[in-house]
Amino acid sequence: MKWEPDILGEGFDACAFQASGADGVQRTATLVRFRPPGEEPPPPAGRCRTVLFLHGWSDYFFNVDLAQFWTRSGYEFYALDMHNHGRSLRTDSPGGYVADLADYDAEISEAIGLMGLDRIPAKNVSPGVPADTAQQDDLPLLLLMGHSTGGLVAALWADRHPGGASQLVLNSPWLEMHGSSLVRRAASTMVGPVARFRPEAVLRLPERGFYWRTISSSAEGEWALDDRFRPPMAFPMRAGWLSAVLSGQTKVARGLRIEIPILVLLSRGSANGPFWTEEMRRTDAVLDVNIIALRALALGRTVTVERIDGALHDVFLSPSKVRADAYARLSRWLRGYADPGADETGAASTAPP
């Protein structure tokens, strides 16, 4: 495995690797790291604080500001382009596709090993057993962060791997379908038979690029996106993929037992519909944030929900004043749950301008 200069430029490197899932299939994923130029990496044996970021569906890691925030906050920063996404796209596999969200587990665990944090307890703690019952020295100093579908993946991984992470930060996680669990159940009933017999069948649903319009510098946003890695209309939605998401959301609705502190960041409002509205410039144009906020409470015992005025679906891609508010709220949470001894003034200065 070899680190190569990344597409994001100075300070960023990428390492493509393969991981074998529980089904025995080898899948390619790509780990990205950020090390500010001129800074020496910490000693390998040091108990450094580390972040692993998981992107959303039809997405990839590109947010340089986010990486800089974490390094200024005293963390090593890594991001994972999961299989069939971004840097890990391959011509022989459909973009964005996964048949079971647990298929990501192998590459997440492999990435943790590449980061030097392969310190998940050798004998996994049984689900529901508090992580603090394990030896403290056996716990990695890892903060897992996920956006949208990546937030759902991160939450399910943390639930299945007690002690695998020390904190969980979810940025607009896709924990539930729009409206209520009734929508999810109806969707499961309709897509289930197709997913069983034709899992890669494309579902013919309306295409909407409203969110892309608000963030891409090729439209009306400020972020330079590579359309090869993040298509404006997203990848085709396939039956097996939607079934995997619905299954994950069902597990959340039944209640997870994550024992580590969890932060959920959401927009104050949603604007979903078949036609463009100006409200989409200052709300979540992808998810129903009210049902997400409700589902967040089913994740674990210690959950903080922050609702951010004017935030987009990815709160850290919102207009500058809004994302500064989001970074300030994240910094405040970190002082309470990740670094209680941090200086108030110093932590506040970590938000990007």
Side-chain angles (χ1 to χ4, degrees):
M1 301 186 186
K2 184 179 179 182
W3 290 98
E4 303 280 358
D6 185 58
I7 57 175
L8 294 179
E10 190 176 32
F12 288 92
D13 299 296
C15 176
F17 64 92
Q18 288 196 322
S20 181
D23 55 5
V25 176
Q26 288 273 343
R27 299 180 176 90
T28 299
T30 308
L31 187 63
V32 179
R33 71 182 180 191
F34 177 58
R35 289 182 174 173
E39 290 191 15
E40 290 294 325
R47 288 176 58 83
C48 60
R49 297 178 298 174
T50 307
V51 170
L52 178 61
F53 173 81
L54 306 181
H55 58 78
W57 182 60
S58 287
D59 211 343
Y60 71 109
F61 175 70
F62 60 86
N63 192 338
V64 173
D65 281 358
L66 184 66
Q68 292 172 339
F69 165 84
W70 283 112
T71 56
R72 285 195 297 268
S73 299
Y75 290 76
E76 283 192 89
F77 179 83
Y78 293 82
L80 182 65
D81 275 15
M82 295 178 282
H83 71 267
N84 293 341
H85 286 86
R87 299 163 178 82
S88 306
L89 284 169
R90 297 296 182 267
T91 56
D92 58 348
S93 298
Y97 183 73
V98 67
D100 186 333
L101 296 185
D103 287 347
Y104 292 126
D105 283 20
E107 59 211 70
I108 293 172
S109 296
E110 183 71 19
I112 291 172
L114 288 171
M115 293 157 55
L117 294 176
D118 48 349
R119 302 182 58 192
I120 297 174
K123 295 181 179 179
N124 276 341
V125 182
S126 300
V129 176
D132 57 13
T133 63
Q135 291 288 333
Q136 184 65 31
D137 287 344
D138 288 337
L139 300 178
L141 298 177
L142 171 67
L143 185 150
L144 188 61
M145 182 178 190
H147 166 60
S148 196
T149 309
L152 176 60
V153 171
L156 294 171
W157 185 90
D159 184 59
R160 285 192 295 267
H161 297 81
S166 50
Q167 293 89 24
L168 185 61
V169 174
L170 306 178
N171 172 5
S172 302
W174 193 17
L175 304 179
E176 182 61 280
M177 299 296 285
H178 289 72
S180 72
S181 59
L182 296 177
V183 177
R184 169 170 41 80
R185 291 169 185 165
S188 297
T189 299
M190 290 186 291
V191 78
V194 182
R196 280 194 297 275
F197 298 107
R198 297 176 56 219
E200 294 187 15
V202 174
L203 302 176
R204 304 298 178 184
L205 300 173
E207 294 183 337
R208 297 187 305 163
F210 301 146
Y211 173 56
W212 176 87
R213 173 177 171 176
T214 64
I215 63 173
S216 175
S217 58
S218 298
E220 299 166 25
E222 61 179 285
W223 302 91
L225 306 179
D226 190 324
D227 289 350
R228 297 172 302 167
F229 295 162
R230 194 194 188 290
M233 296 296 176
F235 294 120
M237 186 178 294
R238 300 177 187 272
W241 170 82
L242 181 57
S243 180
V245 170
L246 294 169
S247 176
Q249 292 174 341
T250 298
K251 291 182 176 69
V252 172
R254 291 172 178 165
L256 303 185
R257 304 184 70 177
I258 301 173
E259 293 291 336
I260 58 177
I262 304 167
L263 172 64
V264 178
L265 297 149
L266 297 168
S267 178
R268 175 75 74 175
S270 296
N272 305 113
F275 304 106
W276 168 262
T277 68
E278 288 299 306
E279 192 70 11
M280 292 176 177
R281 298 186 191 278
R282 49 189 173 270
T283 56
D284 189 322
V286 179
L287 302 182
D288 180 342
V289 293
N290 289 327
I291 191 66
I292 300 300
L294 179 63
R295 283 289 175 263
L297 301 180
L299 294 175
R301 294 199 301 173
T302 307
V303 182
T304 303
V305 178
E306 291 279 5
R307 303 290 294 269
I308 300 166
D309 287 325
L312 301 177
H313 174 52
D314 185 334
V315 300
F316 296 111
L317 301 183
S318 303
S320 58
K321 289 185 178 179
V322 178
R323 67 177 181 264
D325 180 24
Y327 279 117
R329 292 169 184 269
L330 174 54
S331 293
R332 181 177 63 189
W333 183 85
L334 289 172
R335 291 195 297 273
Y337 287 104
D339 190 12
D343 176 76
E344 180 88 13
T345 304
S349 69
T350 61

PDB file of all heavy atoms in Angstrom, residues 70-94:
ATOM      1  N   TRP A  70     -10.091  20.423  11.591  1.00  0.00           N
ATOM      2  CA  TRP A  70      -9.722  19.340  12.500  1.00  0.00           C
ATOM      3  C   TRP A  70      -8.253  19.393  12.872  1.00  0.00           C
ATOM      4  O   TRP A  70      -7.893  19.134  14.026  1.00  0.00           O
ATOM      5  CB  TRP A  70     -10.088  17.992  11.889  1.00  0.00           C
ATOM      6  CG  TRP A  70     -11.555  17.685  11.973  1.00  0.00           C
ATOM      7  CD1 TRP A  70     -12.453  17.604  10.951  1.00  0.00           C
ATOM      8  CD2 TRP A  70     -12.306  17.455  13.169  1.00  0.00           C
ATOM      9  NE1 TRP A  70     -13.706  17.336  11.420  1.00  0.00           N
ATOM     10  CE2 TRP A  70     -13.648  17.224  12.786  1.00  0.00           C
ATOM     11  CE3 TRP A  70     -11.988  17.402  14.521  1.00  0.00           C
ATOM     12  CZ2 TRP A  70     -14.659  16.955  13.706  1.00  0.00           C
ATOM     13  CZ3 TRP A  70     -12.990  17.137  15.448  1.00  0.00           C
ATOM     14  CH2 TRP A  70     -14.303  16.913  15.049  1.00  0.00           C
ATOM     15  N   THR A  71      -7.386  19.741  11.922  1.00  0.00           N
ATOM     16  CA  THR A  71      -5.959  19.806  12.274  1.00  0.00           C
ATOM     17  C   THR A  71      -5.698  20.974  13.221  1.00  0.00           C
ATOM     18  O   THR A  71      -4.887  20.851  14.149  1.00  0.00           O
ATOM     19  CB  THR A  71      -5.088  19.933  11.015  1.00  0.00           C
ATOM     20  OG1 THR A  71      -5.486  21.064  10.251  1.00  0.00           O
ATOM     21  CG2 THR A  71      -5.204  18.688  10.153  1.00  0.00           C
ATOM     22  N   ARG A  72      -6.380  22.095  13.022  1.00  0.00           N
ATOM     23  CA  ARG A  72      -6.222  23.216  13.958  1.00  0.00           C
ATOM     24  C   ARG A  72      -6.759  22.865  15.343  1.00  0.00           C
ATOM     25  O   ARG A  72      -6.333  23.439  16.342  1.00  0.00           O
ATOM     26  CB  ARG A  72      -6.925  24.470  13.422  1.00  0.00           C
ATOM     27  CG  ARG A  72      -6.183  25.162  12.298  1.00  0.00           C
ATOM     28  CD  ARG A  72      -6.723  26.566  12.083  1.00  0.00           C
ATOM     29  NE  ARG A  72      -8.118  26.539  11.668  1.00  0.00           N
ATOM     30  CZ  ARG A  72      -8.519  26.529  10.395  1.00  0.00           C
ATOM     31  NH1 ARG A  72      -7.640  26.488   9.414  1.00  0.00           N
ATOM     32  NH2 ARG A  72      -9.813  26.532  10.099  1.00  0.00           N
ATOM     33  N   SER A  73      -7.704  21.939  15.389  1.00  0.00           N
ATOM     34  CA  SER A  73      -8.280  21.519  16.667  1.00  0.00           C
ATOM     35  C   SER A  73      -7.439  20.449  17.356  1.00  0.00           C
ATOM     36  O   SER A  73      -7.816  19.957  18.422  1.00  0.00           O
ATOM     37  CB  SER A  73      -9.706  20.991  16.445  1.00  0.00           C
ATOM     38  OG  SER A  73     -10.532  21.991  15.901  1.00  0.00           O
ATOM     39  N   GLY A  74      -6.319  20.058  16.730  1.00  0.00           N
ATOM     40  CA  GLY A  74      -5.415  19.101  17.355  1.00  0.00           C
ATOM     41  C   GLY A  74      -5.643  17.653  16.960  1.00  0.00           C
ATOM     42  O   GLY A  74      -5.192  16.746  17.668  1.00  0.00           O
ATOM     43  N   TYR A  75      -6.332  17.423  15.839  1.00  0.00           N
ATOM     44  CA  TYR A  75      -6.620  16.076  15.374  1.00  0.00           C
ATOM     45  C   TYR A  75      -5.858  15.773  14.083  1.00  0.00           C
ATOM     46  O   TYR A  75      -5.659  16.657  13.247  1.00  0.00           O
ATOM     47  CB  TYR A  75      -8.117  15.904  15.079  1.00  0.00           C
ATOM     48  CG  TYR A  75      -9.000  15.888  16.293  1.00  0.00           C
ATOM     49  CD1 TYR A  75      -9.303  17.068  16.971  1.00  0.00           C
ATOM     50  CD2 TYR A  75      -9.550  14.696  16.764  1.00  0.00           C
ATOM     51  CE1 TYR A  75     -10.128  17.066  18.090  1.00  0.00           C
ATOM     52  CE2 TYR A  75     -10.370  14.684  17.880  1.00  0.00           C
ATOM     53  CZ  TYR A  75     -10.657  15.867  18.542  1.00  0.00           C
ATOM     54  OH  TYR A  75     -11.469  15.855  19.649  1.00  0.00           O
ATOM     55  N   GLU A  76      -5.482  14.513  13.917  1.00  0.00           N
ATOM     56  CA  GLU A  76      -5.084  14.048  12.598  1.00  0.00           C
ATOM     57  C   GLU A  76      -6.359  13.791  11.807  1.00  0.00           C
ATOM     58  O   GLU A  76      -7.320  13.217  12.338  1.00  0.00           O
ATOM     59  CB  GLU A  76      -4.278  12.751  12.698  1.00  0.00           C
ATOM     60  CG  GLU A  76      -2.847  12.945  13.131  1.00  0.00           C
ATOM     61  CD  GLU A  76      -2.048  11.666  12.908  1.00  0.00           C
ATOM     62  OE1 GLU A  76      -1.500  11.500  11.809  1.00  0.00           O
ATOM     63  OE2 GLU A  76      -2.009  10.857  13.837  1.00  0.00           O
ATOM     64  N   PHE A  77      -6.345  14.193  10.530  1.00  0.00           N
ATOM     65  CA  PHE A  77      -7.578  14.084   9.742  1.00  0.00           C
ATOM     66  C   PHE A  77      -7.407  13.076   8.613  1.00  0.00           C
ATOM     67  O   PHE A  77      -6.444  13.122   7.847  1.00  0.00           O
ATOM     68  CB  PHE A  77      -7.980  15.426   9.141  1.00  0.00           C
ATOM     69  CG  PHE A  77      -9.223  15.346   8.296  1.00  0.00           C
ATOM     70  CD1 PHE A  77     -10.469  15.396   8.896  1.00  0.00           C
ATOM     71  CD2 PHE A  77      -9.149  15.168   6.919  1.00  0.00           C
ATOM     72  CE1 PHE A  77     -11.629  15.277   8.136  1.00  0.00           C
ATOM     73  CE2 PHE A  77     -10.300  15.055   6.148  1.00  0.00           C
ATOM     74  CZ  PHE A  77     -11.542  15.114   6.757  1.00  0.00           C
ATOM     75  N   TYR A  78      -8.391  12.171   8.516  1.00  0.00           N
ATOM     76  CA  TYR A  78      -8.479  11.212   7.426  1.00  0.00           C
ATOM     77  C   TYR A  78      -9.916  11.189   6.903  1.00  0.00           C
ATOM     78  O   TYR A  78     -10.867  11.447   7.658  1.00  0.00           O
ATOM     79  CB  TYR A  78      -8.114   9.807   7.894  1.00  0.00           C
ATOM     80  CG  TYR A  78      -6.679   9.610   8.289  1.00  0.00           C
ATOM     81  CD1 TYR A  78      -6.234   9.971   9.565  1.00  0.00           C
ATOM     82  CD2 TYR A  78      -5.763   9.030   7.413  1.00  0.00           C
ATOM     83  CE1 TYR A  78      -4.911   9.775   9.937  1.00  0.00           C
ATOM     84  CE2 TYR A  78      -4.444   8.820   7.779  1.00  0.00           C
ATOM     85  CZ  TYR A  78      -4.022   9.199   9.042  1.00  0.00           C
ATOM     86  OH  TYR A  78      -2.713   9.001   9.414  1.00  0.00           O
ATOM     87  N   ALA A  79     -10.061  10.879   5.628  1.00  0.00           N
ATOM     88  CA  ALA A  79     -11.386  10.690   5.025  1.00  0.00           C
ATOM     89  C   ALA A  79     -11.339   9.437   4.172  1.00  0.00           C
ATOM     90  O   ALA A  79     -10.308   9.107   3.579  1.00  0.00           O
ATOM     91  CB  ALA A  79     -11.773  11.898   4.182  1.00  0.00           C
ATOM     92  N   LEU A  80     -12.458   8.741   4.106  1.00  0.00           N
ATOM     93  CA  LEU A  80     -12.528   7.497   3.351  1.00  0.00           C
ATOM     94  C   LEU A  80     -13.508   7.653   2.193  1.00  0.00           C
ATOM     95  O   LEU A  80     -14.690   7.927   2.404  1.00  0.00           O
ATOM     96  CB  LEU A  80     -12.993   6.355   4.266  1.00  0.00           C
ATOM     97  CG  LEU A  80     -13.066   4.967   3.648  1.00  0.00           C
ATOM     98  CD1 LEU A  80     -11.671   4.476   3.257  1.00  0.00           C
ATOM     99  CD2 LEU A  80     -13.716   3.973   4.623  1.00  0.00           C
ATOM    100  N   ASP A  81     -13.005   7.505   0.963  1.00  0.00           N
ATOM    101  CA  ASP A  81     -13.887   7.369  -0.195  1.00  0.00           C
ATOM    102  C   ASP A  81     -14.239   5.888  -0.287  1.00  0.00           C
ATOM    103  O   ASP A  81     -13.419   5.062  -0.685  1.00  0.00           O
ATOM    104  CB  ASP A  81     -13.189   7.830  -1.476  1.00  0.00           C
ATOM    105  CG  ASP A  81     -13.302   9.336  -1.700  1.00  0.00           C
ATOM    106  OD1 ASP A  81     -13.659  10.052  -0.742  1.00  0.00           O
ATOM    107  OD2 ASP A  81     -13.019   9.784  -2.825  1.00  0.00           O
ATOM    108  N   MET A  82     -15.460   5.561   0.123  1.00  0.00           N
ATOM    109  CA  MET A  82     -15.860   4.157   0.197  1.00  0.00           C
ATOM    110  C   MET A  82     -16.025   3.551  -1.198  1.00  0.00           C
ATOM    111  O   MET A  82     -16.048   4.275  -2.200  1.00  0.00           O
ATOM    112  CB  MET A  82     -17.141   4.049   1.020  1.00  0.00           C
ATOM    113  CG  MET A  82     -16.928   4.469   2.486  1.00  0.00           C
ATOM    114  SD  MET A  82     -18.421   4.419   3.505  1.00  0.00           S
ATOM    115  CE  MET A  82     -19.249   5.936   2.977  1.00  0.00           C
ATOM    116  N   HIS A  83     -16.109   2.221  -1.247  1.00  0.00           N
ATOM    117  CA  HIS A  83     -16.144   1.566  -2.563  1.00  0.00           C
ATOM    118  C   HIS A  83     -17.331   2.062  -3.387  1.00  0.00           C
ATOM    119  O   HIS A  83     -18.388   2.395  -2.867  1.00  0.00           O
ATOM    120  CB  HIS A  83     -16.158   0.039  -2.425  1.00  0.00           C
ATOM    121  CG  HIS A  83     -17.434  -0.556  -1.896  1.00  0.00           C
ATOM    122  ND1 HIS A  83     -17.650  -0.808  -0.554  1.00  0.00           N
ATOM    123  CD2 HIS A  83     -18.556  -0.969  -2.535  1.00  0.00           C
ATOM    124  CE1 HIS A  83     -18.845  -1.342  -0.388  1.00  0.00           C
ATOM    125  NE2 HIS A  83     -19.421  -1.454  -1.586  1.00  0.00           N
ATOM    126  N   ASN A  84     -17.094   2.128  -4.691  1.00  0.00           N
ATOM    127  CA  ASN A  84     -18.065   2.614  -5.671  1.00  0.00           C
ATOM    128  C   ASN A  84     -18.396   4.091  -5.500  1.00  0.00           C
ATOM    129  O   ASN A  84     -19.467   4.543  -5.919  1.00  0.00           O
ATOM    130  CB  ASN A  84     -19.356   1.780  -5.633  1.00  0.00           C
ATOM    131  CG  ASN A  84     -19.148   0.359  -6.108  1.00  0.00           C
ATOM    132  OD1 ASN A  84     -18.162   0.055  -6.782  1.00  0.00           O
ATOM    133  ND2 ASN A  84     -20.049  -0.536  -5.734  1.00  0.00           N
ATOM    134  N   HIS A  85     -17.462   4.838  -4.906  1.00  0.00           N
ATOM    135  CA  HIS A  85     -17.630   6.284  -4.742  1.00  0.00           C
ATOM    136  C   HIS A  85     -16.302   6.997  -5.006  1.00  0.00           C
ATOM    137  O   HIS A  85     -15.224   6.482  -4.683  1.00  0.00           O
ATOM    138  CB  HIS A  85     -18.083   6.638  -3.319  1.00  0.00           C
ATOM    139  CG  HIS A  85     -19.515   6.321  -3.029  1.00  0.00           C
ATOM    140  ND1 HIS A  85     -19.923   5.081  -2.607  1.00  0.00           N
ATOM    141  CD2 HIS A  85     -20.640   7.080  -3.109  1.00  0.00           C
ATOM    142  CE1 HIS A  85     -21.241   5.092  -2.419  1.00  0.00           C
ATOM    143  NE2 HIS A  85     -21.697   6.291  -2.716  1.00  0.00           N
ATOM    144  N   GLY A  86     -16.407   8.206  -5.553  1.00  0.00           N
ATOM    145  CA  GLY A  86     -15.278   9.118  -5.638  1.00  0.00           C
ATOM    146  C   GLY A  86     -14.020   8.512  -6.213  1.00  0.00           C
ATOM    147  O   GLY A  86     -13.991   7.949  -7.311  1.00  0.00           O
ATOM    148  N   ARG A  87     -12.937   8.628  -5.446  1.00  0.00           N
ATOM    149  CA  ARG A  87     -11.630   8.111  -5.873  1.00  0.00           C
ATOM    150  C   ARG A  87     -11.635   6.590  -6.028  1.00  0.00           C
ATOM    151  O   ARG A  87     -10.713   6.042  -6.620  1.00  0.00           O
ATOM    152  CB  ARG A  87     -10.565   8.515  -4.845  1.00  0.00           C
ATOM    153  CG  ARG A  87     -10.393  10.030  -4.661  1.00  0.00           C
ATOM    154  CD  ARG A  87      -9.647  10.326  -3.377  1.00  0.00           C
ATOM    155  NE  ARG A  87      -9.407  11.734  -3.137  1.00  0.00           N
ATOM    156  CZ  ARG A  87     -10.298  12.573  -2.611  1.00  0.00           C
ATOM    157  NH1 ARG A  87     -11.516  12.124  -2.295  1.00  0.00           N
ATOM    158  NH2 ARG A  87      -9.991  13.838  -2.408  1.00  0.00           N
ATOM    159  N   SER A  88     -12.642   5.939  -5.471  1.00  0.00           N
ATOM    160  CA  SER A  88     -12.708   4.470  -5.498  1.00  0.00           C
ATOM    161  C   SER A  88     -13.609   3.935  -6.606  1.00  0.00           C
ATOM    162  O   SER A  88     -13.851   2.719  -6.671  1.00  0.00           O
ATOM    163  CB  SER A  88     -13.209   3.947  -4.142  1.00  0.00           C
ATOM    164  OG  SER A  88     -12.415   4.454  -3.080  1.00  0.00           O
ATOM    165  N   LEU A  89     -14.117   4.792  -7.479  1.00  0.00           N
ATOM    166  CA  LEU A  89     -14.960   4.341  -8.585  1.00  0.00           C
ATOM    167  C   LEU A  89     -14.157   3.438  -9.518  1.00  0.00           C
ATOM    168  O   LEU A  89     -12.998   3.712  -9.822  1.00  0.00           O
ATOM    169  CB  LEU A  89     -15.504   5.540  -9.360  1.00  0.00           C
ATOM    170  CG  LEU A  89     -16.643   6.318  -8.698  1.00  0.00           C
ATOM    171  CD1 LEU A  89     -16.887   7.630  -9.437  1.00  0.00           C
ATOM    172  CD2 LEU A  89     -17.920   5.476  -8.665  1.00  0.00           C
ATOM    173  N   ARG A  90     -14.793   2.383  -9.986  1.00  0.00           N
ATOM    174  CA  ARG A  90     -14.192   1.477 -10.943  1.00  0.00           C
ATOM    175  C   ARG A  90     -15.188   1.214 -12.067  1.00  0.00           C
ATOM    176  O   ARG A  90     -16.402   1.168 -11.837  1.00  0.00           O
ATOM    177  CB  ARG A  90     -13.790   0.144 -10.271  1.00  0.00           C
ATOM    178  CG  ARG A  90     -12.732   0.285  -9.189  1.00  0.00           C
ATOM    179  CD  ARG A  90     -11.402   0.778  -9.756  1.00  0.00           C
ATOM    180  NE  ARG A  90     -10.351   0.885  -8.753  1.00  0.00           N
ATOM    181  CZ  ARG A  90     -10.071   1.994  -8.068  1.00  0.00           C
ATOM    182  NH1 ARG A  90     -10.795   3.110  -8.266  1.00  0.00           N
ATOM    183  NH2 ARG A  90      -9.089   2.017  -7.190  1.00  0.00           N
ATOM    184  N   THR A  91     -14.680   1.049 -13.282  1.00  0.00           N
ATOM    185  CA  THR A  91     -15.563   0.915 -14.442  1.00  0.00           C
ATOM    186  C   THR A  91     -16.394  -0.357 -14.418  1.00  0.00           C
ATOM    187  O   THR A  91     -17.437  -0.435 -15.077  1.00  0.00           O
ATOM    188  CB  THR A  91     -14.741   0.946 -15.743  1.00  0.00           C
ATOM    189  OG1 THR A  91     -13.741  -0.082 -15.694  1.00  0.00           O
ATOM    190  CG2 THR A  91     -14.062   2.299 -15.921  1.00  0.00           C
ATOM    191  N   ASP A  92     -15.965  -1.368 -13.648  1.00  0.00           N
ATOM    192  CA  ASP A  92     -16.690  -2.636 -13.634  1.00  0.00           C
ATOM    193  C   ASP A  92     -17.726  -2.723 -12.522  1.00  0.00           C
ATOM    194  O   ASP A  92     -18.319  -3.788 -12.306  1.00  0.00           O
ATOM    195  CB  ASP A  92     -15.711  -3.809 -13.516  1.00  0.00           C
ATOM    196  CG  ASP A  92     -14.841  -3.730 -12.262  1.00  0.00           C
ATOM    197  OD1 ASP A  92     -14.840  -2.662 -11.612  1.00  0.00           O
ATOM    198  OD2 ASP A  92     -14.166  -4.727 -11.939  1.00  0.00           O
ATOM    199  N   SER A  93     -17.952  -1.622 -11.796  1.00  0.00           N
ATOM    200  CA  SER A  93     -18.933  -1.612 -10.707  1.00  0.00           C
ATOM    201  C   SER A  93     -19.816  -0.370 -10.823  1.00  0.00           C
ATOM    202  O   SER A  93     -19.329   0.704 -11.177  1.00  0.00           O
ATOM    203  CB  SER A  93     -18.242  -1.620  -9.339  1.00  0.00           C
ATOM    204  OG  SER A  93     -17.469  -2.788  -9.173  1.00  0.00           O
ATOM    205  N   PRO A  94     -21.109  -0.499 -10.507  1.00  0.00           N
ATOM    206  CA  PRO A  94     -22.004   0.660 -10.619  1.00  0.00           C
ATOM    207  C   PRO A  94     -21.727   1.702  -9.544  1.00  0.00           C
ATOM    208  O   PRO A  94     -21.572   1.371  -8.365  1.00  0.00           O
ATOM    209  CB  PRO A  94     -23.397   0.043 -10.445  1.00  0.00           C
ATOM    210  CG  PRO A  94     -23.173  -1.235  -9.721  1.00  0.00           C
ATOM    211  CD  PRO A  94     -21.816  -1.726 -10.114  1.00  0.00           C
TER     212      PRO A  94
END
